[in-house]
Amino acid sequence: MAGQQSPKATELTNEINTYFSKYRKPSDWQIKLLKKKADSLKGKITDSFYYGLLGTISALEDDIPSLKHLFQTAIKLTPASNHTQLQYLAALKNRGRCSEELMLCKDMLMQFPDHSEEIYLWMAESAFMSCRMHEAQHYLEQIKNKDERNSLLHHITESQVIFKAAGLSDELASHLYNLAYDLLQKFGIYFSSTGVIVTARGLVHCQLYVDLPIGDMYDLNYQLAAELVNNAENTYSDVILFEFNSIDVFEERSPT
């Protein structure tokens, strides 16, 4: 029956999520197969869910224009539900599109005030991942029922204190992040994920993981250093460090 999620739809959703968890771009034939499976469900699931599936597949494909168009179509079909918007947020996060995430979250705050705690947490994480630490701290302060066991909360607060002490603004830090991200777009390199930690030396370390071999990281980071120096008067390298890393490191750390 249309409107209910069939076992086939659940199976496809799980398959897509498995690809997301690997942080690697599927091959062309794998993408075509996923789209074929989604098309076979048309008319058996809601149109909103169908376009949402295609949108998540576009995220795996790194096709940003299609991702946006498909999810915007899905949202128009079910504007009163926040489920599709949350899927859209997840797809944008997967592609490292932090600015678009924040814009969508701000719209959702007005649409779904009863879900403000969840949305503010998402905003805090998105701002944190794009190195907007003061903004992330602001969103964090809007959450009344915080889970103090969530390590993200401590990383945000610690990073914001470091930024404040160094006089580093969100605008400059996010500009540096965007320079790194845009370099990947320039060379057509598949973005995998972002990892931000505070080191033992009190340095905010932002790593952008990519689907390339570890051996390619030296040349890529050399180009990143040149990009930052040439496009920023002060890179605050004693406060924040940007670095590309291979997604292969996760597999090397995994137990055999």
PDB file of all heavy atoms in Angstrom, residues 132-153:
ATOM      1  N   ARG A 132      33.145  26.953  13.464  1.00  0.00           N
ATOM      2  CA  ARG A 132      32.479  28.153  13.982  1.00  0.00           C
ATOM      3  C   ARG A 132      32.191  27.895  15.462  1.00  0.00           C
ATOM      4  O   ARG A 132      31.049  27.631  15.861  1.00  0.00           O
ATOM      5  CB  ARG A 132      31.207  28.450  13.196  1.00  0.00           C
ATOM      6  CG  ARG A 132      31.447  28.676  11.697  1.00  0.00           C
ATOM      7  CD  ARG A 132      30.179  29.125  10.989  1.00  0.00           C
ATOM      8  NE  ARG A 132      29.759  30.436  11.437  1.00  0.00           N
ATOM      9  CZ  ARG A 132      30.195  31.590  10.927  1.00  0.00           C
ATOM     10  NH1 ARG A 132      31.091  31.579   9.940  1.00  0.00           N
ATOM     11  NH2 ARG A 132      29.758  32.736  11.395  1.00  0.00           N
ATOM     12  N   MET A 133      33.234  27.993  16.280  1.00  0.00           N
ATOM     13  CA  MET A 133      33.153  27.548  17.665  1.00  0.00           C
ATOM     14  C   MET A 133      32.297  28.458  18.546  1.00  0.00           C
ATOM     15  O   MET A 133      31.583  27.983  19.437  1.00  0.00           O
ATOM     16  CB  MET A 133      34.561  27.419  18.251  1.00  0.00           C
ATOM     17  CG  MET A 133      35.468  26.478  17.457  1.00  0.00           C
ATOM     18  SD  MET A 133      34.717  24.832  17.193  1.00  0.00           S
ATOM     19  CE  MET A 133      35.987  24.031  16.226  1.00  0.00           C
ATOM     20  N   HIS A 134      32.366  29.775  18.316  1.00  0.00           N
ATOM     21  CA  HIS A 134      31.541  30.685  19.114  1.00  0.00           C
ATOM     22  C   HIS A 134      30.064  30.441  18.817  1.00  0.00           C
ATOM     23  O   HIS A 134      29.225  30.431  19.725  1.00  0.00           O
ATOM     24  CB  HIS A 134      31.911  32.144  18.811  1.00  0.00           C
ATOM     25  CG  HIS A 134      33.346  32.477  19.081  1.00  0.00           C
ATOM     26  ND1 HIS A 134      33.887  32.463  20.352  1.00  0.00           N
ATOM     27  CD2 HIS A 134      34.367  32.822  18.243  1.00  0.00           C
ATOM     28  CE1 HIS A 134      35.173  32.788  20.290  1.00  0.00           C
ATOM     29  NE2 HIS A 134      35.487  33.010  19.014  1.00  0.00           N
ATOM     30  N   GLU A 135      29.740  30.246  17.548  1.00  0.00           N
ATOM     31  CA  GLU A 135      28.361  29.977  17.144  1.00  0.00           C
ATOM     32  C   GLU A 135      27.899  28.633  17.707  1.00  0.00           C
ATOM     33  O   GLU A 135      26.766  28.506  18.177  1.00  0.00           O
ATOM     34  CB  GLU A 135      28.258  29.974  15.616  1.00  0.00           C
ATOM     35  CG  GLU A 135      26.844  29.895  15.080  1.00  0.00           C
ATOM     36  CD  GLU A 135      26.773  30.059  13.572  1.00  0.00           C
ATOM     37  OE1 GLU A 135      27.786  30.467  12.958  1.00  0.00           O
ATOM     38  OE2 GLU A 135      25.702  29.774  12.998  1.00  0.00           O
ATOM     39  N   ALA A 136      28.772  27.643  17.662  1.00  0.00           N
ATOM     40  CA  ALA A 136      28.433  26.328  18.203  1.00  0.00           C
ATOM     41  C   ALA A 136      28.119  26.418  19.697  1.00  0.00           C
ATOM     42  O   ALA A 136      27.155  25.809  20.188  1.00  0.00           O
ATOM     43  CB  ALA A 136      29.586  25.355  17.969  1.00  0.00           C
ATOM     44  N   GLN A 137      28.918  27.195  20.414  1.00  0.00           N
ATOM     45  CA  GLN A 137      28.690  27.366  21.852  1.00  0.00           C
ATOM     46  C   GLN A 137      27.352  28.057  22.112  1.00  0.00           C
ATOM     47  O   GLN A 137      26.616  27.701  23.039  1.00  0.00           O
ATOM     48  CB  GLN A 137      29.834  28.175  22.466  1.00  0.00           C
ATOM     49  CG  GLN A 137      29.729  28.379  23.976  1.00  0.00           C
ATOM     50  CD  GLN A 137      29.851  27.083  24.760  1.00  0.00           C
ATOM     51  OE1 GLN A 137      30.497  26.138  24.314  1.00  0.00           O
ATOM     52  NE2 GLN A 137      29.228  27.025  25.928  1.00  0.00           N
ATOM     53  N   HIS A 138      27.020  29.026  21.272  1.00  0.00           N
ATOM     54  CA  HIS A 138      25.734  29.730  21.404  1.00  0.00           C
ATOM     55  C   HIS A 138      24.569  28.752  21.259  1.00  0.00           C
ATOM     56  O   HIS A 138      23.620  28.782  22.059  1.00  0.00           O
ATOM     57  CB  HIS A 138      25.624  30.834  20.353  1.00  0.00           C
ATOM     58  CG  HIS A 138      24.250  31.414  20.235  1.00  0.00           C
ATOM     59  ND1 HIS A 138      23.698  32.245  21.198  1.00  0.00           N
ATOM     60  CD2 HIS A 138      23.290  31.260  19.265  1.00  0.00           C
ATOM     61  CE1 HIS A 138      22.464  32.579  20.839  1.00  0.00           C
ATOM     62  NE2 HIS A 138      22.204  32.002  19.676  1.00  0.00           N
ATOM     63  N   TYR A 139      24.634  27.886  20.256  1.00  0.00           N
ATOM     64  CA  TYR A 139      23.553  26.920  20.054  1.00  0.00           C
ATOM     65  C   TYR A 139      23.491  25.930  21.212  1.00  0.00           C
ATOM     66  O   TYR A 139      22.409  25.518  21.641  1.00  0.00           O
ATOM     67  CB  TYR A 139      23.748  26.165  18.736  1.00  0.00           C
ATOM     68  CG  TYR A 139      23.660  27.040  17.510  1.00  0.00           C
ATOM     69  CD1 TYR A 139      24.540  26.874  16.441  1.00  0.00           C
ATOM     70  CD2 TYR A 139      22.706  28.053  17.418  1.00  0.00           C
ATOM     71  CE1 TYR A 139      24.459  27.684  15.315  1.00  0.00           C
ATOM     72  CE2 TYR A 139      22.629  28.867  16.291  1.00  0.00           C
ATOM     73  CZ  TYR A 139      23.514  28.678  15.249  1.00  0.00           C
ATOM     74  OH  TYR A 139      23.442  29.475  14.134  1.00  0.00           O
ATOM     75  N   LEU A 140      24.656  25.579  21.717  1.00  0.00           N
ATOM     76  CA  LEU A 140      24.725  24.648  22.836  1.00  0.00           C
ATOM     77  C   LEU A 140      24.003  25.218  24.054  1.00  0.00           C
ATOM     78  O   LEU A 140      23.311  24.501  24.790  1.00  0.00           O
ATOM     79  CB  LEU A 140      26.192  24.371  23.169  1.00  0.00           C
ATOM     80  CG  LEU A 140      26.532  23.092  23.931  1.00  0.00           C
ATOM     81  CD1 LEU A 140      26.096  21.869  23.157  1.00  0.00           C
ATOM     82  CD2 LEU A 140      28.025  23.045  24.209  1.00  0.00           C
ATOM     83  N   GLU A 141      24.147  26.509  24.250  1.00  0.00           N
ATOM     84  CA  GLU A 141      23.531  27.160  25.405  1.00  0.00           C
ATOM     85  C   GLU A 141      22.009  27.237  25.307  1.00  0.00           C
ATOM     86  O   GLU A 141      21.338  27.526  26.309  1.00  0.00           O
ATOM     87  CB  GLU A 141      24.121  28.567  25.572  1.00  0.00           C
ATOM     88  CG  GLU A 141      25.585  28.535  26.021  1.00  0.00           C
ATOM     89  CD  GLU A 141      26.270  29.893  25.935  1.00  0.00           C
ATOM     90  OE1 GLU A 141      25.608  30.856  25.458  1.00  0.00           O
ATOM     91  OE2 GLU A 141      27.442  30.000  26.330  1.00  0.00           O
ATOM     92  N   GLN A 142      21.469  26.996  24.122  1.00  0.00           N
ATOM     93  CA  GLN A 142      20.010  27.009  23.951  1.00  0.00           C
ATOM     94  C   GLN A 142      19.382  25.673  24.345  1.00  0.00           C
ATOM     95  O   GLN A 142      18.156  25.568  24.454  1.00  0.00           O
ATOM     96  CB  GLN A 142      19.651  27.322  22.491  1.00  0.00           C
ATOM     97  CG  GLN A 142      20.341  28.523  21.889  1.00  0.00           C
ATOM     98  CD  GLN A 142      20.252  29.773  22.743  1.00  0.00           C
ATOM     99  OE1 GLN A 142      19.154  30.162  23.159  1.00  0.00           O
ATOM    100  NE2 GLN A 142      21.390  30.382  23.015  1.00  0.00           N
ATOM    101  N   ILE A 143      20.220  24.656  24.544  1.00  0.00           N
ATOM    102  CA  ILE A 143      19.716  23.315  24.868  1.00  0.00           C
ATOM    103  C   ILE A 143      19.590  23.186  26.386  1.00  0.00           C
ATOM    104  O   ILE A 143      20.574  23.278  27.120  1.00  0.00           O
ATOM    105  CB  ILE A 143      20.666  22.231  24.314  1.00  0.00           C
ATOM    106  CG1 ILE A 143      20.839  22.403  22.802  1.00  0.00           C
ATOM    107  CG2 ILE A 143      20.138  20.840  24.645  1.00  0.00           C
ATOM    108  CD1 ILE A 143      21.909  21.509  22.200  1.00  0.00           C
ATOM    109  N   LYS A 144      18.388  22.978  26.848  1.00  0.00           N
ATOM    110  CA  LYS A 144      18.149  22.904  28.291  1.00  0.00           C
ATOM    111  C   LYS A 144      18.493  21.527  28.847  1.00  0.00           C
ATOM    112  O   LYS A 144      19.064  21.411  29.936  1.00  0.00           O
ATOM    113  CB  LYS A 144      16.681  23.237  28.584  1.00  0.00           C
ATOM    114  CG  LYS A 144      16.285  24.663  28.217  1.00  0.00           C
ATOM    115  CD  LYS A 144      14.810  24.918  28.493  1.00  0.00           C
ATOM    116  CE  LYS A 144      14.418  26.341  28.091  1.00  0.00           C
ATOM    117  NZ  LYS A 144      12.974  26.591  28.317  1.00  0.00           N
ATOM    118  N   ASN A 145      18.116  20.480  28.131  1.00  0.00           N
ATOM    119  CA  ASN A 145      18.329  19.119  28.623  1.00  0.00           C
ATOM    120  C   ASN A 145      19.535  18.487  27.929  1.00  0.00           C
ATOM    121  O   ASN A 145      19.398  17.671  27.028  1.00  0.00           O
ATOM    122  CB  ASN A 145      17.070  18.279  28.381  1.00  0.00           C
ATOM    123  CG  ASN A 145      15.852  18.858  29.076  1.00  0.00           C
ATOM    124  OD1 ASN A 145      15.906  19.156  30.270  1.00  0.00           O
ATOM    125  ND2 ASN A 145      14.764  19.030  28.336  1.00  0.00           N
ATOM    126  N   LYS A 146      20.717  18.902  28.350  1.00  0.00           N
ATOM    127  CA  LYS A 146      21.944  18.394  27.731  1.00  0.00           C
ATOM    128  C   LYS A 146      22.313  17.031  28.305  1.00  0.00           C
ATOM    129  O   LYS A 146      22.135  16.781  29.499  1.00  0.00           O
ATOM    130  CB  LYS A 146      23.109  19.360  27.967  1.00  0.00           C
ATOM    131  CG  LYS A 146      22.925  20.757  27.403  1.00  0.00           C
ATOM    132  CD  LYS A 146      24.172  21.586  27.653  1.00  0.00           C
ATOM    133  CE  LYS A 146      24.008  23.008  27.158  1.00  0.00           C
ATOM    134  NZ  LYS A 146      23.034  23.769  27.981  1.00  0.00           N
ATOM    135  N   ASP A 147      22.847  16.181  27.450  1.00  0.00           N
ATOM    136  CA  ASP A 147      23.412  14.905  27.882  1.00  0.00           C
ATOM    137  C   ASP A 147      24.896  15.146  28.139  1.00  0.00           C
ATOM    138  O   ASP A 147      25.698  15.222  27.205  1.00  0.00           O
ATOM    139  CB  ASP A 147      23.216  13.840  26.804  1.00  0.00           C
ATOM    140  CG  ASP A 147      23.771  12.476  27.227  1.00  0.00           C
ATOM    141  OD1 ASP A 147      24.310  12.382  28.346  1.00  0.00           O
ATOM    142  OD2 ASP A 147      23.670  11.527  26.422  1.00  0.00           O
ATOM    143  N   GLU A 148      25.256  15.304  29.385  1.00  0.00           N
ATOM    144  CA  GLU A 148      26.639  15.641  29.737  1.00  0.00           C
ATOM    145  C   GLU A 148      27.628  14.543  29.364  1.00  0.00           C
ATOM    146  O   GLU A 148      28.836  14.765  29.384  1.00  0.00           O
ATOM    147  CB  GLU A 148      26.737  15.948  31.241  1.00  0.00           C
ATOM    148  CG  GLU A 148      25.907  17.147  31.696  1.00  0.00           C
ATOM    149  CD  GLU A 148      26.288  18.451  31.008  1.00  0.00           C
ATOM    150  OE1 GLU A 148      27.448  18.572  30.559  1.00  0.00           O
ATOM    151  OE2 GLU A 148      25.429  19.349  30.910  1.00  0.00           O
ATOM    152  N   ARG A 149      27.113  13.374  29.007  1.00  0.00           N
ATOM    153  CA  ARG A 149      28.004  12.286  28.586  1.00  0.00           C
ATOM    154  C   ARG A 149      28.406  12.434  27.122  1.00  0.00           C
ATOM    155  O   ARG A 149      29.312  11.749  26.662  1.00  0.00           O
ATOM    156  CB  ARG A 149      27.307  10.940  28.793  1.00  0.00           C
ATOM    157  CG  ARG A 149      27.004  10.600  30.247  1.00  0.00           C
ATOM    158  CD  ARG A 149      26.072   9.410  30.347  1.00  0.00           C
ATOM    159  NE  ARG A 149      24.782   9.694  29.725  1.00  0.00           N
ATOM    160  CZ  ARG A 149      23.793   8.808  29.617  1.00  0.00           C
ATOM    161  NH1 ARG A 149      23.956   7.592  30.081  1.00  0.00           N
ATOM    162  NH2 ARG A 149      22.644   9.137  29.030  1.00  0.00           N
ATOM    163  N   ASN A 150      27.750  13.334  26.416  1.00  0.00           N
ATOM    164  CA  ASN A 150      28.039  13.553  25.002  1.00  0.00           C
ATOM    165  C   ASN A 150      29.364  14.310  24.866  1.00  0.00           C
ATOM    166  O   ASN A 150      29.469  15.474  25.254  1.00  0.00           O
ATOM    167  CB  ASN A 150      26.900  14.348  24.355  1.00  0.00           C
ATOM    168  CG  ASN A 150      27.032  14.453  22.845  1.00  0.00           C
ATOM    169  OD1 ASN A 150      28.107  14.262  22.287  1.00  0.00           O
ATOM    170  ND2 ASN A 150      25.932  14.768  22.182  1.00  0.00           N
ATOM    171  N   SER A 151      30.379  13.643  24.317  1.00  0.00           N
ATOM    172  CA  SER A 151      31.710  14.254  24.226  1.00  0.00           C
ATOM    173  C   SER A 151      31.714  15.489  23.338  1.00  0.00           C
ATOM    174  O   SER A 151      32.554  16.380  23.515  1.00  0.00           O
ATOM    175  CB  SER A 151      32.718  13.226  23.690  1.00  0.00           C
ATOM    176  OG  SER A 151      32.349  12.784  22.396  1.00  0.00           O
ATOM    177  N   LEU A 152      30.766  15.563  22.395  1.00  0.00           N
ATOM    178  CA  LEU A 152      30.692  16.728  21.510  1.00  0.00           C
ATOM    179  C   LEU A 152      30.541  18.015  22.309  1.00  0.00           C
ATOM    180  O   LEU A 152      31.151  19.035  21.979  1.00  0.00           O
ATOM    181  CB  LEU A 152      29.520  16.574  20.533  1.00  0.00           C
ATOM    182  CG  LEU A 152      29.201  17.793  19.658  1.00  0.00           C
ATOM    183  CD1 LEU A 152      30.335  18.046  18.665  1.00  0.00           C
ATOM    184  CD2 LEU A 152      27.873  17.582  18.918  1.00  0.00           C
ATOM    185  N   LEU A 153      29.736  17.979  23.367  1.00  0.00           N
ATOM    186  CA  LEU A 153      29.494  19.171  24.170  1.00  0.00           C
ATOM    187  C   LEU A 153      30.795  19.695  24.774  1.00  0.00           C
ATOM    188  O   LEU A 153      31.050  20.901  24.788  1.00  0.00           O
ATOM    189  CB  LEU A 153      28.482  18.873  25.270  1.00  0.00           C
ATOM    190  CG  LEU A 153      27.185  18.160  24.862  1.00  0.00           C
ATOM    191  CD1 LEU A 153      26.227  18.083  26.048  1.00  0.00           C
ATOM    192  CD2 LEU A 153      26.516  18.873  23.700  1.00  0.00           C
TER     193      LEU A 153
END
